[in-house]
Amino acid sequence: VTLEGVIHYLEHFPKLGMTLDTGNFELAGESILDAYESLKERIVHVHLKDRQRAQDQELLSVPFGTGYLPMREIVQRLIDEGYQGDMVIEHFGVEDYYESLKQSIAQLKPLIDVMNM
């Protein structure tokens, strides 16, 4: 998945919305902030997946706000720009889902409270 590929696909389906998965553009070495800016008009769903690299450079999913992606900035931009769609926490492949969920909630709560969710 590349930003160029997503844009190309969406150009062929002008009424199609998209899910912004914050961790997936990292697979192509692309900036989630660039992807957000280019795609924000089409976003109808958001997967909040933060990333971290293991010692062997494997890309890992980690709790929201504990990796190196600008997760708070993405959520803040969504809030500031009036996003009304769904956001879900994604912990694909973590060792302890319950602990990851608790950490993500603690990091997200101050931002979500602003949205009155």
Side-chain angles (χ1 to χ4, degrees), residues 3 6 8 15 32-33 43 46 53 64 66-67 72 79 81 89-91 94-95 97 100-101 108 112-114:
L3 178 55
V6 173
H8 176 76
K15 294 183 180 181
I32 183 56
L33 295 175
I43 297 170
V46 178
R53 291 222 181 250
F64 178 95
T66 65
R72 287 177 190 81
I79 292 168
E81 294 177 14
I89 302 167
E90 189 171 1
H91 296 121
V94 297
E95 289 184 27
Y97 282 91
S100 291
L101 181 60
L108 265 171
I112 299 303
D113 284 348
V114 171

Side-chain angles (χ1 to χ4, degrees), residues 4 15 26 30 43-44 62 64 75 85 90-91 104 106 110 116:
E4 181 182 346
K15 294 183 180 181
E26 191 65 21
E30 296 182 333
I43 297 170
V44 297
V62 295
F64 178 95
V75 171
E90 189 171 1
H91 296 121
S104 290
N116 297 316

Side-chain angles (χ1 to χ4, degrees), residues 77-95:
R77 286 186 187 191
L78 288 162
I79 292 168
D80 291 347
E81 294 177 14
Y83 176 74
Q84 295 294 311
D86 292 326
M87 288 188 270
V88 298
I89 302 167
E90 189 171 1
H91 296 121
F92 181 78
V94 297
E95 289 184 27

Side-chain angles (χ1 to χ4, degrees), residues 3-18 38-39 42:
L3 178 55
E4 181 182 346
V6 173
I7 291 170
H8 176 76
Y9 186 79
L10 290 173
E11 286 173 350
H12 288 85
F13 299 95
K15 294 183 180 181
L16 185 67
M18 66 157 297
S38 296
L39 302 168
R42 303 292 287 275

